[in-house]
Amino acid sequence: MIAAAVLVLPALAAGSATGSVPGASADPAPTGGAAAALPEIRPAADAAGTTLQLTGLSPAVVTPGDTLTVSGTIRNDGTRALSRPLVRIVAGSYPAAPNARQAVRDWAASTGPAQGSVVGQARLAGTVAPGTSAAFRVKVTGLAALRTEATYGALPLSVESGTAAVRTFAGYQRIKQYQPMSVAFAVPLTLDPDPDLFGATGAARETAWGSALEPSSRLSRVLDATQDAAVTWAVDPSLTPSLLPAPSDVGATGTRENALRTATELRITSASAQHTPWVLPDTDADLGAVAGQGSAEGLFESLIERSADVAEQLHGRADIAWPADGTYTVRAETGLRRLFRVPALAAQVASTSALPQGLAGQTPGAAQRSTTGLPLLAYDDSLSTLLGHTRSAQEGLLSTQQFVAESAALLNELPGTSGRAVFVTAPRSFNPDPATAKRFLATVSAIPWLSPTATEAELEAARRTAPTQAAPVTRPTTPAEGATRPVLTATRISDLERTLRTVRGVAQIRDDGDLFARTWTRAAEQLASTRWRSAPTAWNTLSGRVTTAARQTTTAVKVSAGTINFLADSGRLQITVTNDLDLPVENVKLTVEASNPRLRIDSQPSVLRIGPHSRATVSVSVTALAAGLVPLRTTLTTPDGTVVGQGADVMVRVTPTGNWVYAALGGLAALVLALGIVRTVRRRPGRDDHPTPDTHPVEASG
């Protein structure tokens, strides 16, 4: 790195302001004065391919006597060496805009060198070869001593070298002529939209939990960034499974998943007292998708009720609704009140852009109350977006200084009004660089016109404020970063409830029912989460896996089709049920119905237990009423009536005997008896009508 020569220059003197500054009573002033005496120094070499990055701007808000130090790096991405490149600090003018806040955003979004006055510059001492970088540092004095009517605000700055430029701001304050605004922060602690986190155990699930909770994970970075800050945590109970009222799917003891989830829960519970925690509905259920639809209320009520148990153990609260997109409507509030029965709905987080603007387009304050009296905490869309932009040191520095400028413009909407509050939230996808986010929060807390406070204080202010008119819009004009369209449609919500019933039903007959229920019920419940808004394809993946797990049972247990010849007035039919699973099933109930009145079902078979890859034969008592073909409808269910098996058509060819058969048999028996008698008579010998005369022996005479 090549060290830069430091040149300390005075800032604009009297009459040298370059335009309107977001501050109290800021008026444009003509350019010129002392700045005009500073000759413009052009770069010593062609700066094409030059890239500038800022690494520091201190202090964020200068006061009289302070020196502003701007540091960064200049990189040569071209093919020619840069000989002694020059870095300049230019004080520019805010572009024309409908309001001061928009002017700040427009300046931040602008590119290229700015028109204005040079207030500081530094020329590097050496040469920057292609592909290399050099550090620079420029000091500027006197920024807070501007002789304008604005006694506080933010000056638009452009840090330039040749055609490369970075737009930023320098806050300043000469005199405190305002009533400070309070500022509070809330950050969600939620999981990533990874379908491998729940469902079947194995290497993919272990890897997913490692990615979600290990020290380099997004969630760990959020915890690192906010651990020591005055920030309210909004916790998904999926991260504190042992606090849930029912057994949750947490992986086998000794697994990496179990260890990581236990450590994360301990980290949250240990620090929760410092962060006045809000507990989101279990799984961070997508309230914005279901509120006002009138569907899935049973499922969502259950998820909300569980969060109350977790909140009690964290010494927090679970009665605040935080829809992901910040929407507020009267209809949605009515739906939320129906969902929040235990606990009752106490407040809702909403976007300022979803609420009516104040007079002259003023930004709604953080503390609001609906026409029905519901306290609303309105987060500032633009300032919240800036908190989300702390993913790198360069991005965080620019976001911090824009926060300074926008908060000054916001303050200047009603500078003399006391009790004003600002609420700043991070998106569900918040993925900060911990060190950058810490600096951001620390710098914002030190802005002189902002007074850090707790969300509970802002809620109390909302409870006392006058009801506001209902919003004319149904969705924020600037939705929260990462908040997209909901994945849960009315049809999918209905399918989800049906899938949950099926999973719980098949668990009742499986030999591994407890494990199956914990694993796949939890996976199905996760489909209600807000997190899938940013990953609809991942929602489809997990949904497919849950459905497949349930169907594995419903298709493996089935009735064997066939045709039965029934040649009787009454008797028993034999029906076969097979189990193709690798484990036994039990408590399976077979219900048989005749599709027409030719056959009457007299009794149903008892419940079945079938071994793995086995079959069972059951008897059904029936009575034949007429001859013909009778299809039997078969249904396999669990004890709670959930249909779990695959029925089959069993055809019965009914041939009843009837009374004529008995008459015929009786006649046939009589005929056989008669024939037997006749044959017997014919075989008896006949009587002799001429018997042989009796002969007597003649006795001899003597």
Side-chain angles (χ1 to χ4, degrees):
M1 302 283 283
I2 301 174
V6 178
L7 181 60
V8 180
L9 296 176
L12 302 178
S16 62
T18 60
S20 175
V21 178
S25 305
D27 295 323
T31 59
L38 179 67
E40 182 176 353
I41 305 176
R42 297 189 177 277
D46 183 4
T50 300
T51 301
L52 286 176
Q53 280 197 334
L54 297 189
T55 58
L57 194 153
S58 179
V61 179
V62 296
T63 57
D66 288 342
T67 296
L68 177 70
T69 301
V70 181
S71 57
T73 60
I74 180 170
R75 179 175 176 79
N76 183 1
D77 293 320
T79 58
R80 299 174 55 189
L82 300 178
S83 177
R84 303 185 65 226
L86 177 72
V87 178
R88 304 182 305 162
I89 311 298
V90 177
S93 302
Y94 283 105
N99 54 62
R101 296 196 67 182
Q102 187 59 51
V104 170
R105 291 191 286 268
D106 290 345
W107 173 267
S110 300
T111 58
Q115 296 293 322
S117 301
V118 177
V119 295
Q121 60 187 22
R123 184 182 294 281
L124 276 67
T127 299
V128 183
T132 63
S133 301
F136 67 84
R137 187 177 61 179
V138 183
K139 292 186 176 182
V140 182
T141 60
L143 277 181
L146 296 174
R147 297 180 184 176
T148 68
E149 294 183 10
T151 59
Y152 65 90
L155 190 69
L157 298 181
S158 177
V159 183
E160 303 174 359
S161 180
T163 58
V166 177
R167 301 293 181 96
T168 188
F169 307 87
Y172 68 91
Q173 176 175 293
R174 290 191 293 119
I175 304 173
K176 178 185 175 182
Q177 292 182 331
Y178 53 78
Q179 290 291 335
M181 300 182 298
S182 62
V183 59
F185 294 88
V187 173
L189 301 182
T190 58
L191 287 168
D192 296 326
D194 188 342
D196 291 335
L197 290 172
F198 296 93
T201 58
R205 176 162 167 161
E206 287 286 292
T207 300
W209 280 106
S211 299
L213 300 181
E214 62 189 4
S216 62
S217 67
R218 182 194 65 81
L219 180 63
S220 293
R221 289 196 293 274
V222 174
L223 290 170
D224 291 342
T226 59
Q227 186 85 26
D228 302 321
V231 171
T232 289
W233 282 347
V235 183
D236 176 0
S238 299
L239 296 171
T240 57
S242 73
L243 305 186
L244 287 166
S248 184
D249 177 33
V250 294
T253 302
T255 61
R256 186 184 186 197
E257 172 192 342
N258 187 281
L260 286 170
R261 297 182 74 175
T262 300
T264 300
E265 177 180 306
L266 179 60
R267 185 174 184 184
I268 292 172
T269 55
S270 299
S272 63
Q274 307 169 34
H275 296 281
T276 56
W278 297 346
V279 180
L280 301 168
D282 190 19
T283 77
D284 185 21
D286 195 346
L287 299 175
V290 72
Q293 286 193 14
S295 59
E297 290 188 357
L299 169 60
F300 277 69
E301 282 178 18
S302 173
L303 297 175
I304 291 169
E305 188 172 348
R306 290 181 207 168
S307 68
D309 295 321
V310 176
E312 183 177 357
Q313 297 173 80
L314 289 179
H315 305 290
R317 58 189 309 164
D319 54 0
I320 299 174
W322 187 348
D325 56 6
T327 297
Y328 173 79
T329 64
V330 174
R331 179 185 177 189
E333 180 190 326
T334 301
L336 289 173
R337 288 185 182 276
R338 285 200 303 267
L339 294 175
F340 280 79
R341 297 183 184 274
V342 180
L345 183 66
Q348 180 191 335
V349 175
S351 162
T352 52
S353 60
L355 301 175
Q357 291 186 341
L359 298 175
Q362 295 165 357
T363 306
Q368 299 285 328
R369 197 152 62 99
S370 72
T371 54
T372 62
L374 179 68
L376 303 175
L377 272 186
Y379 62 83
D380 190 283
D381 301 272
S382 183
L383 297 181
S384 296
T385 298
L386 294 174
L387 172 59
H389 291 175
T390 52
R391 291 163 292 201
S392 67
Q394 162 80 356
E395 182 184 54
L397 175 61
L398 297 178
S399 294
T400 301
Q401 294 308 122
Q402 186 175 340
F403 194 106
V404 171
E406 278 213 52
S407 62
L410 175 62
L411 173 67
N412 198 41
E413 291 179 357
L414 293 168
T417 303
S418 62
R420 296 177 66 200
V422 181
F423 183 41
V424 180
T425 65
R428 258 79 167 181
S429 58
F430 189 38
N431 188 15
D433 170 65
T436 299
K438 284 181 179 180
R439 284 194 297 270
F440 179 99
L441 292 169
T443 301
V444 168
S445 297
I447 294 175
W449 46 82
L450 295 179
S451 175
T453 189
T455 52
E456 192 60 38
E458 296 202 351
L459 280 170
E460 182 60 33
R463 284 190 284 267
R464 295 194 306 266
T465 194
T468 185
Q469 177 186 352
V473 295
T474 59
R475 185 173 298 278
T477 55
T478 309
E481 186 179 1
T484 55
R485 294 176 61 86
V487 175
L488 290 178
T489 61
T491 300
R492 283 180 167 176
I493 290 171
S494 298
D495 290 344
L496 175 56
E497 288 197 306
R498 185 165 50 251
T499 298
L500 272 166
R501 288 194 297 269
T502 301
V503 168
R504 291 169 179 149
V506 300
Q508 294 177 5
I509 66 169
R510 292 174 61 102
D511 196 54
D512 62 348
D514 290 343
L515 176 61
F516 184 89
R518 284 198 307 271
T519 300
W520 293 106
T521 297
R522 194 58 178 158
E525 289 174 344
Q526 294 295 329
L527 292 170
S529 177
T530 297
R531 75 182 76 104
W532 308 110
R533 284 178 176 243
S534 61
T537 301
W539 187 94
N540 290 333
T541 299
L542 182 57
S543 177
R545 290 174 182 173
V546 174
T547 302
T548 299
R551 285 180 178 171
Q552 181 188 25
T553 301
T554 60
T555 57
V557 181
K558 54 185 178 291
V559 175
S560 297
T563 301
I564 302 172
N565 293 316
F566 188 72
L567 303 173
D569 281 341
S570 63
R572 291 182 175 275
L573 295 177
Q574 303 293 318
I575 298 178
T576 301
V577 182
T578 62
N579 172 24
D580 293 335
L581 293 172
D582 295 330
L583 47 82
V585 294
E586 59 185 357
N587 297 324
V588 179
K589 181 180 180 182
L590 172 64
T591 303
V592 182
E593 297 177 280
S595 60
N596 62 55
R598 293 189 179 95
L599 191 68
R600 185 180 70 210
I601 308 299
D602 295 328
S603 66
Q604 297 290 345
S606 58
V607 295
L608 304 172
R609 177 177 173 83
I610 313 172
H613 299 289
S614 301
R615 63 181 57 198
T617 301
V618 295
S619 297
V620 182
S621 298
V622 298
T623 298
L625 302 177
L629 195 63
V630 181
L632 296 183
R633 292 189 294 267
T634 61
T635 307
L636 294 168
T637 59
T638 66
D640 68 355
T642 302
V643 177
V644 296
Q646 181 179 357
D649 289 334
V650 177
M651 308 301 295
V652 181
R653 189 172 288 112
V654 180
T655 309
T657 53
N659 292 333
W660 65 270
V661 174
Y662 297 108
L665 290 176
L668 180 60
L671 179 60
V672 170
L673 179 61
L675 290 175
I677 293 172
V678 170
R679 291 182 64 185
T680 302
V681 171
R682 285 182 176 178
R683 289 178 181 175
R684 181 180 298 173
R687 179 178 296 176
D688 190 357
D689 292 334
H690 306 282
T692 303
D694 233 352
T695 58
H696 300 279
V698 178
E699 194 175 37
S701 58

